[in-house]
Amino acid sequence: MTGMDSLFLIFAVITLISAFLVVTTKNLFHAALWLIMTLFGVAAIYVLLNAFYLAVIQVIVYIGAIAILMIFAIMLTQRVMNPSGRIFNKNWIIAALLGAFMFIGLVIISMQTGASKTTLPQISGQLDTVSELGQALVSPNAYVIPFEVASVLLLAALIGAIFVSRKR
Amino acid sequence: MIPTTYYIVLSALLFTIGALGVLIRRNAIIIFMAIELMLNAANLAFVAFTRMYGIIDGQVFVFFVMTVAAAEVAVGLALIVAIFRTKHNIDIDQLNNLKG
C-alpha cells in the first residue's frame, strides 16, 4: 500500500463519517460543521485526483460561501436550532431500504462502465489541468455559451434571493 | 495505484447518504445540506472519470454544478428564511398548506 492509497482511505473515511453525521446529528449547527468537514474531505480527494483548481474552488465556494450561508440561515431560524421532537419522519424504514437498493444499483451500473478494470493512468510530468480548464471555459467551440449562461443564472439567483427575503 | 472503482464507490456511498438525508430528515435546512452532499457525490464521480479518461470536460461540468449549487443555495435559503418568518417553523411535515 503506497502513500497515495492510505491518504485516499483516510480522506474517504473522514468524508463518509462526517457525511453520515450531517444527516444524523440532532443539533443543526453541529450538522453544518460536519458538512464543512465533509466538503474538506471531498476537496482533499480532488487533490488526490489531480484537480487542484477544483479543490481550491471547493474550499472557496462550498466552504467559504455555501456552508457559511447555511450557518447564517441556521442562526436566523434560531428557535429550531435544537429541535425537541423526533428528527426523523415516519417513513425512515422504507427510506433506508430504498437507500440500500439505490446504492447497490449505483454500484452495479458503475461496474458496467469499465471503471473496475482500469487503474488511474500515471501522470506524465506536469499536467496543467488549470490552463486546460480555463481554455475549455472560454473557447468558442467548447463551453463559452454555458459559461455566460451560468453568469446570468447567478445574477438571476442573486436578484431572486433578495426579492424573496425582503421585508414586505 | 487505486482503481477508479474505489472513487466511484465512495461517490455512490456519499450519494446514498445524501438521498437518505433528504428522505428521512424533517428539517428543511438539513435537507438542503443533504442535497449538497448529493451534488458533491456527483462532482466526485465527474472528477474521477476525468482523471480516468484524461479529458477535461468532466471538470468543466463540476464547475457548472458548483455554479448551480451556489444559485440554488442562495434562493433556497432565502425561501427558508421567508417561510420561517411567516410560519415560525421549518419542519417540512408541517408545511402542508398545498395538500389537497
Side-chain angles (χ1 to χ4, degrees):
Chain A
M1 197 149 115
T2 64
M4 282 287 264
D5 296 8
S6 34
L7 274 181
F8 170 76
L9 280 183
I10 292 167
F11 288 129
V13 168
I14 289 175
T15 309
L16 287 178
I17 290 177
S18 29
F20 186 74
L21 286 169
V22 169
V23 299
T24 50
T25 317
K26 193 165 187 157
N27 189 316
L28 273 185
F29 197 81
H30 291 174
L33 296 181
W34 284 118
L35 179 75
I36 291 177
M37 195 74 197
T38 313
L39 297 174
F40 261 122
V42 174
I45 290 170
Y46 285 171
V47 171
L48 294 183
L49 283 167
N50 242 52
F52 304 116
Y53 177 70
L54 289 180
V56 173
I57 289 296
Q58 171 95 357
V59 173
I60 293 176
V61 172
Y62 262 111
I63 300 171
I66 294 181
I68 298 303
L69 208 61
M70 294 259 181
I71 291 177
F72 263 98
I74 291 169
M75 289 178 163
L76 286 176
T77 55
Q78 190 104 51
R79 232 160 36 74
V80 289
M81 200 157 114
N82 293 303
S84 48
R86 65 210 161 80
I87 55 171
F88 298 141
N89 61 26
K90 295 183 283 285
N91 307 322
W92 66 272
I93 299 177
I94 306 170
L97 278 176
L98 214 69
F101 279 126
M102 194 171 68
F103 174 66
I104 295 166
L106 281 175
V107 171
I108 289 172
I109 291 170
S110 65
M111 289 301 147
Q112 287 165 353
T113 58
S116 53
K117 288 159 233 121
T118 338
T119 52
L120 297 173
Q122 291 290 336
I123 300 159
S124 51
Q126 193 70 39
L127 185 71
D128 195 3
T129 51
V130 181
S131 73
E132 230 182 303
L133 185 64
Q135 271 159 12
L137 277 178
V138 291
S139 124
N141 41 18
Y143 291 98
V144 70
I145 293 174
F147 184 68
E148 297 299 335
V149 171
S151 57
V152 175
L153 170 76
L154 279 177
L155 180 66
L158 204 71
I159 297 171
I162 295 170
F163 181 78
V164 166
S165 60
R166 82 193 193 289
K167 275 222 157 62
R168 261 158 259 250
Chain B
M1 282 301 277
I2 316 153
T4 318
T5 331
Y6 285 24
Y7 292 99
I8 303 303
V9 169
L10 173 64
S11 157
L13 267 173
L14 205 57
F15 189 89
T16 311
I17 292 175
L20 273 181
V22 170
L23 289 176
I24 65 178
R25 290 298 297 251
R26 299 166 72 218
N27 190 297
I29 294 180
I30 296 279
I31 288 176
F32 253 86
M33 293 182 193
I35 291 173
E36 294 308 315
L37 287 184
M38 287 197 281
L39 288 172
N40 264 279
N43 284 352
L44 195 59
F46 268 130
V47 175
F49 280 123
T50 297
R51 179 77 172 72
M52 178 175 149
Y53 291 111
I55 42 176
I56 202 73
D57 299 61
Q59 292 196 9
V60 177
F61 268 88
V62 173
F63 187 84
F64 287 126
V65 169
M66 282 182 182
T67 314
V68 174
E72 170 240 330
V73 164
V75 176
L77 289 179
L79 279 175
I80 287 180
V81 171
I83 291 171
F84 181 76
R85 221 182 261 155
T86 52
K87 298 201 67 159
H88 301 285
N89 203 345
I90 49 169
D91 185 344
I92 52 158
D93 287 355
Q94 319 266 311
L95 301 177
N96 51 8
N97 287 7
L98 292 178
K99 199 171 176 181

